């Protein structure tokens, strides 16, 4: 069993922040040899929070596990030539980048020398305009539906960066398949704004806005079009439940002993709770009764009852709780393995979420600035 499906794939990554480093990480976790090219002194995201107590960026370390790193002066024509030689010499290569600043490292220049080159570029907007995740969020409608107040709320997770990084990897692997068949490379481009708008369209949000007069409003933890909400137990523990199907609904009623109560409400009020739409429309009737049950039931009993009835539920946990006692909760999960990151220390870090024949490659520490200059660039690293 070998989870390194991409062993032998050479990737040169000229990038920063989330999307393109995540693309490289995704490939490295499947066995690709990913070399991250940074400016002298290190990329600007090497100092991004969160930081360890010693000042090492845990953000950078997390997104660059298992890669090799070289540091060059990208403003120097000589050093850019060295990077170009790294790309075009040797076996077939893939370039992953979020900048088109240097034409001599762009697709046209490199593919003229290496027709089998795959070049993957992240743009902010499809028209070439600049954008980052949080500005894209502002333009796509989602923050106006997040939270409960009157002001827009950006999501703390840079979701469009994450999605874009995975789209980049998918496009890259499609181009790699094409190269295997034809021997020719391809130019792949993904725009961050396109990813967000495509998602809004694919989920039907944009079609709803065009074709109906429905006015979407903020609804906190309620789930639009189905039944879901958060509740507090008798001892102050907050949980989230989701009831997607009629079977889920009846299991919840059986778990809480509310079957007869809702049957009576249905008959008295002349309403139905049979479909997702019904339960969403009548959530103002459902929620108070469920809240009463949760409010008088201790968490231990809630957990036992909901689990026994196979309800979709989970207790809210903080990052602090997940990391408590040296990451004891993470240690129990097959996804995590201990990594000793220089400058930060030993901690539990994730492997790839992708299992290959039941296995995953162990995580490796992120590299230091220019750690692999000699190894990757050879004698030319000494200027």
């Amino acid at each position: 069993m070998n989870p390194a499906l991409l062993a032998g794939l050479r990737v040169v990554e000229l990038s920063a922040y989330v999307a393109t480093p995540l693309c490289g990480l995704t490939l490295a976790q499947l066995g690709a040899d990913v070399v991250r090219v940074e400016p002298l002194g290190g990329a600007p995201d090497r100092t991004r929070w969160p930081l360890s107590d010693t000042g090492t960026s845990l953000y950078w370390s997390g997104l660059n596990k298992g890669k090799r790193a070289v540091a060059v002066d990208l403003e120097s024509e000589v050093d850019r030539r060295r990077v170009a030689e790294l790309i075009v010499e040797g076996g077939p290569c893939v370039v992953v980048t979020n900048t088109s600043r240097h034409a001599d490292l762009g697709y046209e220049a490199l593919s003229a020398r290496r027709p089998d080159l795959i070049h993957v570029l992240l743009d902010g907007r499809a028209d070439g305009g600049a954008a980052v995740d949080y500005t894209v969020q502002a333009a796509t409608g989602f923050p106006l539906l997040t939270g409960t107040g009157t002001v827009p709320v950006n999501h703390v997770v840079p979701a469009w960066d994450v999605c874009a990084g995975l789209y980049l990897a998918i496009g890259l692997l499609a181009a790699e398949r094409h190269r295997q068949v034809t021997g020719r490379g391809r130019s792949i481009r993904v725009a961050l704004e396109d990813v967000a708008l495509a998602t809004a369209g694919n989920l039907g949000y944009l079609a709803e806005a065009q074709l109906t007069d429905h006015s979407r409003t903020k609804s906190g933890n309620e789930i639009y079009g189905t039944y879901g909400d958060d509740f507090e137990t008798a001892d102050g523990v907050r949980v989230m439940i989701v009831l997607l199907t009629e079977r889920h609904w009846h299991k919840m009623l059986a778990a809480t002993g509310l079957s007869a109560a809702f049957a009576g409400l249905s008959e008295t009020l002349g309403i139905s709770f049979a479909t997702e739409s019904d339960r969403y429309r009548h959530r103002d009737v459902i929620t108070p009764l469920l809240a009463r049950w949760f409010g008088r039931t201790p968490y231990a009993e809630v957990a036992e009852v909901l689990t026994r009835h196979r309800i979709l539920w989970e207790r809210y946990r903080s990052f602090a709780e997940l990391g408590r006692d040296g990451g004891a909760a993470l240690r129990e999960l097959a996804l995590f393995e201990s990594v000793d990151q220089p400058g930060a220390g030993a901690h539990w870090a994730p492997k790839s979420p992708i299992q290959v024949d039941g296995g995953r490659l162990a995580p490796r520490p992120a590299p230091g600035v220019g750690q692999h200059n000699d190894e990757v660039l050879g004698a030319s690293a000494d200027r």
Side-chain angles (χ1 to χ4, degrees):
M1 179 186 67
N2 184 2
L5 295 182
L6 299 181
L9 179 66
R10 286 200 316 129
V11 180
V12 174
E13 180 190 316
L14 298 100
S15 69
Y17 297 106
V18 180
T20 40
L22 176 62
C23 174
L25 173 67
T26 301
L27 303 173
Q29 289 179 324
L30 292 171
D33 176 19
V34 181
V35 176
R36 177 155 177 179
V37 179
E38 299 180 83
L40 296 176
D45 51 338
R46 273 193 181 264
T47 59
R48 198 174 195 197
W49 288 25
L51 306 176
S52 71
D53 289 341
T54 58
T56 297
S57 172
L58 302 176
Y59 162 97
W60 199 94
S61 300
L63 283 171
N64 291 279
K65 296 189 299 291
K67 300 177 186 179
R68 296 192 287 169
V70 298
V72 297
D73 181 2
L74 289 171
E75 301 309 310
S76 161
E77 185 177 345
V78 172
D79 271 15
R80 291 200 305 275
R81 189 179 305 122
R82 293 162 65 209
V83 175
E85 293 301 318
L86 171 65
I87 293 167
V88 302
E89 291 183 353
C93 186
V94 176
V95 174
V96 176
T97 184
N98 63 344
T99 178
S100 54
R101 182 176 178 183
H102 304 296
D104 47 355
L105 295 178
Y107 176 69
E108 290 188 7
L110 294 171
S111 64
R113 302 175 60 190
R114 185 93 203 198
D116 62 356
L117 176 75
I118 295 172
H119 189 278
V120 181
L121 173 64
L122 176 74
D123 291 312
R125 301 204 310 258
D127 63 4
V132 295
D133 184 283
Y134 299 104
T135 61
V136 166
Q137 286 194 42
T140 52
F142 288 97
L144 297 170
L145 301 180
T146 303
T148 57
T150 59
V151 299
V153 177
N154 278 6
H155 203 292
V156 66
V157 176
W160 309 126
D161 272 332
V162 172
C163 293
L166 299 179
Y167 269 115
L168 289 168
I170 292 169
L172 181 158
L173 293 174
E176 172 63 11
R177 181 183 183 278
H178 173 80
R179 179 165 67 182
Q180 294 289 333
V181 173
T182 67
R184 304 288 298 183
R186 285 295 181 96
S187 169
I188 303 294
R189 298 183 72 158
V190 174
L192 199 61
E193 184 180 60
D194 284 355
V195 170
L197 289 172
T199 302
N202 293 338
L203 294 176
Y205 297 171
L206 298 183
E208 179 186 46
Q210 296 169 76
L211 302 175
T212 77
D213 59 359
H214 297 167
S215 179
R216 294 285 297 272
T217 59
K218 295 190 174 196
S219 54
N221 286 334
E222 293 178 350
I223 303 174
Y224 185 63
T226 192
Y227 189 81
D229 212 339
D230 64 299
F231 296 91
E232 187 172 333
T233 66
D235 43 356
V237 179
R238 189 159 288 276
V239 301
M240 179 73 191
I241 67 162
V242 180
L243 308 175
L244 296 175
T245 68
E246 188 173 7
R247 180 172 60 86
H248 292 154
W249 168 245
H250 287 298
K251 281 180 174 290
M252 189 68 196
L253 297 189
T256 56
L258 291 172
S259 298
F262 277 100
L265 282 172
S266 181
E267 182 176 352
T268 300
L269 300 177
I271 59 177
S272 171
F273 302 105
T275 69
E276 277 193 296
S277 296
D278 291 333
R279 292 187 289 277
Y280 181 71
R281 291 190 190 97
H282 303 305
R283 62 194 183 280
D284 58 333
V285 176
I286 297 170
T287 297
L289 287 179
L290 290 182
R292 286 182 62 193
W293 180 82
F294 280 99
R296 64 173 182 257
T297 309
Y299 170 73
E301 183 179 342
V302 166
E304 188 280 324
V305 169
L306 296 186
T307 300
R308 174 159 44 86
H309 285 81
R310 300 182 63 82
I311 305 298
L312 296 172
W313 78 281
E314 187 53 86
R315 175 174 63 90
Y316 284 88
R317 294 186 292 181
S318 67
F319 290 134
E321 183 178 352
L322 289 169
R324 188 177 300 153
D325 299 325
L330 305 178
R331 191 182 309 131
E332 302 301 316
L333 303 176
L335 174 65
F336 288 86
E337 189 164 319
S338 181
V339 165
D340 192 357
Q341 179 64 46
H347 62 284
W348 293 91
K351 296 174 269 190
S352 173
I354 301 171
Q355 296 186 52
V356 179
D357 294 332
R360 321 181 218 219
L361 294 177
R364 292 176 290 145
V369 178
Q371 179 177 334
H372 300 98
N373 270 38
D374 291 342
E375 179 182 309
V376 173
L377 299 176
S380 65
D382 299 319
R383 294 187 290 138

